[in-house]
Amino acid sequence: MNERNILVVAHAGRPDTVDAARRVVDALRAAGARPVLAADDRAELADVDTMFADVDVLGETVDQSALELAIVLGGDGTILRAAELVRGCEAPVLGINMGHVGFLAEIDRDDMDAAVHRVIERDYDVEERLALSVRVKDSSGAVIFETWALNEATVEKASRERMIEVVLEIDGLPLSSFGCDGMVVSTPTGSTAYNFSAGGPVIWPSVEAIAVVPLSAHALFAKPLVVSPDAAVAIEMLEGTSGAGILWCDGRRSHDLPPGARVVVRRSSRPVRLARLHQAEFTNRLVRKFQLPVAGWRGQSAGAQS
């Protein structure tokens, strides 16, 4: 029987996360599975507790393609890092929230032991989330950088004092040019992240769409847009712009954008796979995260239609 390799993603910055990682590693070993850590995580955790020193290392003793699943101990930022670690393989990501209520985490820390048991029993479903393919082309049209994003791809001004001049293009057709602080191109998953802060719409995860939101644009027509999930969104830095730009994807991967650079964003052929233990109602997540007032709600009376 092949060994079951479970990636555990956790950082050593908080004692409760270290304790959780210790419990997960012990539970996996007791069940006959092999816990695996990223090299940086193992080094940091082993400095705190030597029991982590003999855990297998991703990319050294265990290949990425051999992973069955990733258990993530942390918030949405840690889940984004885990999605990067398993990008290119089929392993889904199960988030156990160790801090504030997150949108990507499946459960809170209080349910961690039960979650690990269900992972061992393979008692979970897999939900696929739309991801973005991101390309940067230079003024000659040559591709000079390629990456991906689960939450958003953002074109931002590189210096505080200068805005950037851009042309927004949808499916090969120019829509508008304007000066701005940047542009956010978001997935439904990322609609509650940077997109939300920029005034973009909240999009339910079951909706397939791409949101495009200008940041502090100097233009009359610079409103948030929702386009087809199969649309190609291009943001071109005008040649004459005085400000340089920078591309950020999920706040983790970046590339400098000189005048004339062109960022093309479209749906990735490879979605991000999230492990789900139960049916999670997105409406309830919104209410919890933003502490929305729902007092007075009576619900439907018996037999009533909504």
Side-chain angles (χ1 to χ4, degrees):
M1 182 177 179
N2 292 333
E3 186 108 41
R4 298 177 63 187
N5 301 299
I6 310 294
L7 179 67
V8 180
V9 182
H11 57 77
R14 290 172 42 173
D16 59 340
T17 303
V18 175
D19 180 63
R22 188 184 298 114
R23 287 164 56 190
V24 170
V25 166
D26 286 343
L28 292 174
R29 283 176 167 167
R34 175 192 290 164
V36 182
L37 293 169
D40 290 347
D41 286 349
R42 192 182 78 161
E44 293 175 2
L45 289 167
D47 284 342
V48 178
D49 188 336
T50 56
M51 71 89 68
F52 293 105
D54 65 346
V55 176
D56 282 270
V57 178
L58 180 64
E60 295 180 13
T61 58
V62 175
D63 190 72
Q64 183 199 60
S65 62
L67 293 177
E68 178 179 317
L69 179 139
I71 296 177
V72 187
L73 305 170
D76 284 354
T78 310
I79 293 175
L80 290 173
R81 180 163 67 90
E84 190 176 65
L85 289 171
V86 302
R87 189 69 177 168
C89 74
E90 296 299 313
V93 174
L94 174 68
I96 299 176
N97 188 45
M98 301 298 294
H100 299 295
V101 177
F103 284 100
L104 292 174
E106 170 67 359
I107 61 168
D108 293 329
R109 72 181 85 185
D110 295 341
D111 301 317
M112 182 182 69
D113 294 329
V116 174
H117 175 75
R118 290 186 61 177
V119 166
I120 292 167
E121 295 297 318
R122 294 190 174 96
D123 181 19
Y124 57 85
D125 296 318
V126 176
E127 175 186 348
E128 293 191 339
R129 293 287 185 92
L130 182 151
L132 300 175
S133 167
V134 185
R135 286 184 165 189
V136 179
K137 299 181 179 181
D138 63 17
S139 56
S140 71
V143 176
I144 56 175
F145 182 71
E146 291 189 71
T147 187
W148 66 281
L150 171 57
N151 270 358
E152 74 279 309
T154 307
V155 173
E156 302 177 23
K157 62 181 183 180
S159 59
R160 182 178 180 181
E161 66 276 6
R162 293 183 182 274
M163 70 171 60
I164 53 177
E165 298 284 339
V166 303
V167 176
L168 173 63
E169 173 193 294
I170 307 293
D171 285 334
L173 299 174
L175 184 65
S176 185
S177 63
F178 44 78
C180 61
D181 285 351
M183 298 287 295
V184 179
V185 184
S186 170
T187 67
T189 300
S191 70
T192 50
Y194 199 167
N195 166 82
F196 178 83
S197 299
V202 175
I203 304 174
W204 262 241
S206 57
V207 176
E208 292 203 327
I210 296 173
V212 183
V213 182
L215 301 173
S216 301
H218 289 231
L220 291 176
F221 186 82
K223 300 296 184 183
L225 307 173
V226 179
V227 302
S228 163
D230 298 314
V233 178
I235 301 162
E236 188 168 315
M237 302 274 295
L238 291 179
E239 289 278 8
T241 186
S242 58
I246 185 169
L247 167 72
W248 280 99
C249 290
D250 291 340
R252 296 189 54 79
R253 298 168 293 280
S254 66
H255 190 80
D256 292 334
L257 301 173
R262 177 181 174 84
V263 179
V264 182
V265 183
R266 62 178 74 230
R267 180 211 289 259
S268 171
S269 61
R270 182 182 290 274
V272 171
R273 293 161 55 83
L274 300 179
R276 293 304 192 196
L277 302 179
H278 50 73
Q279 184 73 27
E281 297 296 340
F282 185 67
T283 303
N284 290 339
R285 289 183 185 234
L286 287 176
V287 171
R288 292 170 62 201
K289 178 69 175 179
F290 297 119
Q291 299 180 359
L292 301 178
V294 293
W297 179 71
R298 296 175 59 193
Q300 298 181 62
S301 58
Q305 297 293 320
S306 59

